[in-house]
Amino acid sequence: MTANSKFRPGSALSPISRRAFVAGAAAAGACLWLNAPMALAASGPPEEAQRVADHFSSVKTMMGEFVQFGPRGEQTGGKFYIERPGKLRFNYENPSPMRVISDGRNVVIGNMKLKTWDIYPLSKTPLSLLLSDRIDLNHQMVRGVKQEADLTTIVLGDRTIFGDSTITLMFDPKSFELRQWTITDAQAKDTTVMIFNVQTGVNFDARVFEVPYADVHKRGG
């Protein structure tokens, strides 16, 4: 399947050994030290880190598979779809009934079994930073940047909008590819998403990011 193929939710991806990946991901997730924001140098963020952020911002569409680790150690997986700016979809694997969709205005979280939906303005969630057109590391939303030989870590947050919530992005410093992100909520609880089998330059069907507003409002979400 080519990078420019038309995708709809549920399209098949090339398989890898999920068991091997999850075992490694769980070990990495157990070592996360991302709760404490890192101080920026007085001269501003490293130039290399801005190049990483610029490359990520230049990727307008991407899709792949994910493993998610919740704050209580729960683990789920599935497929994700991103279209910049502002659009995202998470299809969780069975037995999870969850769906997460952002259409650029709102984020909805649906339980397909219970037929219930919650809705939030995208601008009030840290996902808006992940999905923005450009990540400017000189902006006040940057809480910290750390560069290591095998990892570039960028912590973002906007206290005036998200309160104490932050999103931490972790990139490969050589390929500039996003490896994972962690959202830390106001109670300092982490939800980490690790991604793999990523494809970029995908042309999505418009329905991928379509929010079912009739169902959302009907159910009082």
Side-chain angles (χ1 to χ4, degrees):
M1 187 152 321
T2 66
N4 289 320
S5 299
K6 204 83 165 179
F7 279 88
R8 297 181 179 179
S11 298
L13 295 177
S14 55
I16 68 168
S17 172
R18 180 177 294 277
R19 181 175 299 174
F21 177 85
V22 169
C31 297
L32 284 175
W33 47 269
L34 301 173
N35 281 334
M38 298 159 284
L40 286 171
S43 59
E47 183 178 338
E48 181 66 18
Q50 184 62 67
R51 283 200 292 269
V52 171
D54 287 344
H55 173 79
F56 177 61
S57 300
S58 73
V59 178
K60 298 306 180 185
T61 60
M62 60 191 300
M63 66 173 290
E65 297 185 69
F66 71 89
V67 175
Q68 176 177 303
F69 302 92
R72 295 183 299 276
E74 64 272 27
Q75 178 182 304
T76 52
K79 298 174 183 177
F80 76 91
Y81 311 80
I82 289 176
E83 182 173 296
R84 199 180 305 277
K87 296 179 180 180
L88 172 145
R89 183 184 181 106
F90 273 21
N91 287 348
Y92 289 82
E93 292 179 338
N94 292 328
S96 173
M98 304 307 293
R99 293 285 186 275
V100 177
I101 308 171
S102 172
D103 63 358
R105 296 188 297 120
N106 296 301
V107 180
V108 295
I109 301 174
N111 185 313
M112 309 310 289
K113 182 177 181 179
L114 299 178
K115 306 298 183 183
T116 59
W117 296 87
D118 295 310
I119 185 168
Y120 309 91
L122 173 63
S123 62
K124 301 297 184 182
T125 75
L127 282 175
S128 64
L129 303 180
L130 173 72
L131 303 174
S132 63
D133 260 328
R134 183 172 187 269
I135 300 172
D136 183 355
L137 298 190
N138 289 302
H139 193 277
Q140 64 180 359
M141 71 180 179
V142 178
R143 301 284 186 89
V145 174
K146 185 172 183 178
Q147 286 188 272
E148 300 172 282
D150 61 347
L151 202 65
T152 297
T153 303
I154 302 170
V155 183
L156 303 173
D158 191 330
R159 197 175 298 275
T160 63
I161 301 177
F162 313 126
D164 291 325
S165 298
T166 61
I167 184 168
T168 300
L169 308 176
M170 304 180 76
F171 299 90
D172 185 309
K174 296 182 176 63
S175 67
F176 296 171
E177 293 177 354
L178 179 66
R179 291 181 176 177
Q180 70 180 56
W181 65 83
T182 296
I183 293 180
T184 303
D185 67 18
Q187 287 74 46
K189 294 180 179 179
D190 289 341
T191 298
T192 296
V193 175
M194 308 184 77
I195 62 176
F196 59 103
N197 278 350
V198 175
Q199 298 183 43
T200 61
V202 182
N203 292 323
F204 292 116
D205 188 288
R207 290 172 291 181
V208 171
F209 307 106
E210 192 173 86
V211 170
Y213 284 108
D215 292 336
V216 171
H217 296 308
K218 181 173 60 178
R219 296 291 176 175

